[in-house]
Amino acid sequence: MPYPTLFRSPRESRRTGAPFRRLLLALDWTLCRPGELARLQWEHIRWEQDVAIIPDHKTKRTGKPKIIPLVPKMQRLLRWLQRSYSSEFCFLNSRGIPWTINAIDQRMSHVKDRSGLKDVVPYTIRHRAATNSILRTGDLKMTSMLMGHTSTKTTERYTHLAQEHLVSFAKKAVG
């Protein structure tokens, strides 16, 4: 499926598309839930540790904060955002206000309509990134931790795509 279409700039509106593209890229690079990035604030960023720590998140019942490792490209994006905008929130929409879940969903719907992609929601990027993580590393436990799942059982739903890839690879490799 041509997901890179989601990251292309729209012809008629580069300005309004850029904040959403940055959010989509951050989803791909962090495996975060859309709401976690929408609520990410500068006070959550721990530059010296290369992480963001969100104290209040979906799986808060565990009593543990969500730890988001900041890979180098995510760090570069965040540093650029910090220099470019003055807000307590890291990700702002084209009007300079923090994203809401509803605004993210509406924007994704607009992108889907224009691109012709079907069955794509903001979580699709998270799921795609999780599947890619499993395919690249084979490490279900670390992928589970990266996603903030309390159990690898939750992450196992992404392995069916990895299994299809493994079968395809085996057919090519072994015959």
Side-chain angles (χ1 to χ4, degrees):
M1 189 175 279
Y3 291 121
T5 302
L6 293 174
F7 300 111
R8 291 190 190 130
S9 76
R11 288 187 188 117
E12 72 275 4
S13 179
R14 285 185 178 271
R15 187 171 263 261
T16 60
F20 190 63
R21 281 193 312 280
R22 288 191 284 267
L23 185 71
L24 293 179
L25 288 169
L27 286 171
D28 191 47
W29 297 339
T30 63
L31 285 79
C32 283
R33 296 171 182 93
E36 291 169 343
L37 284 184
R39 290 186 301 275
L40 185 64
Q41 297 180 24
W42 295 113
E43 68 183 30
H44 300 146
I45 307 297
R46 305 289 183 266
W47 295 111
E48 68 285 350
Q49 298 170 347
D50 299 330
V51 297
I53 301 174
I54 303 176
D56 186 31
H57 61 98
K58 182 179 177 183
T59 52
K60 61 186 165 196
R61 66 184 174 274
T62 65
K64 297 178 184 176
K66 166 79 178 210
I67 298 174
I68 305 167
L70 302 176
V71 297
K73 54 189 167 185
M74 183 65 180
Q75 288 181 29
R76 285 191 301 275
L77 174 61
L78 287 171
R79 288 193 187 281
W80 182 86
L81 290 169
Q82 193 174 41
R83 284 190 311 269
S84 301
Y85 303 100
S86 59
S87 170
E88 63 185 295
F89 290 91
C90 299
F91 291 93
L92 305 175
N93 65 22
S94 59
R95 289 186 276 160
I97 58 174
W99 286 97
T100 64
I101 298 300
N102 187 45
I104 294 169
D105 289 341
Q106 286 180 354
R107 183 70 177 151
M108 183 62 84
S109 178
H110 180 70
V111 169
K112 276 182 5 183
D113 292 344
R114 285 196 0 244
S115 67
L117 296 174
K118 300 201 182 329
D119 301 325
V120 177
V121 295
Y123 262 77
T124 303
I125 295 170
R126 176 176 159 85
H127 296 178
R128 175 183 165 262
T131 300
N132 286 340
S133 173
I134 293 167
L135 287 172
R136 283 187 204 114
T137 67
D139 195 330
L140 184 65
K141 177 65 178 167
M142 290 304 287
T143 300
S144 181
M145 290 174 63
L146 186 58
M147 295 187 76
H149 291 160
T150 55
S151 164
T152 56
K153 291 273 186 214
T154 309
T155 314
E156 284 176 2
R157 74 177 88 168
Y158 306 106
T159 60
H160 75 281
L161 296 172
Q163 288 168 358
E164 290 171 14
H165 183 75
L166 181 62
V167 169
S168 175
F169 174 79
K171 286 178 182 176
K172 290 177 188 174
V174 182

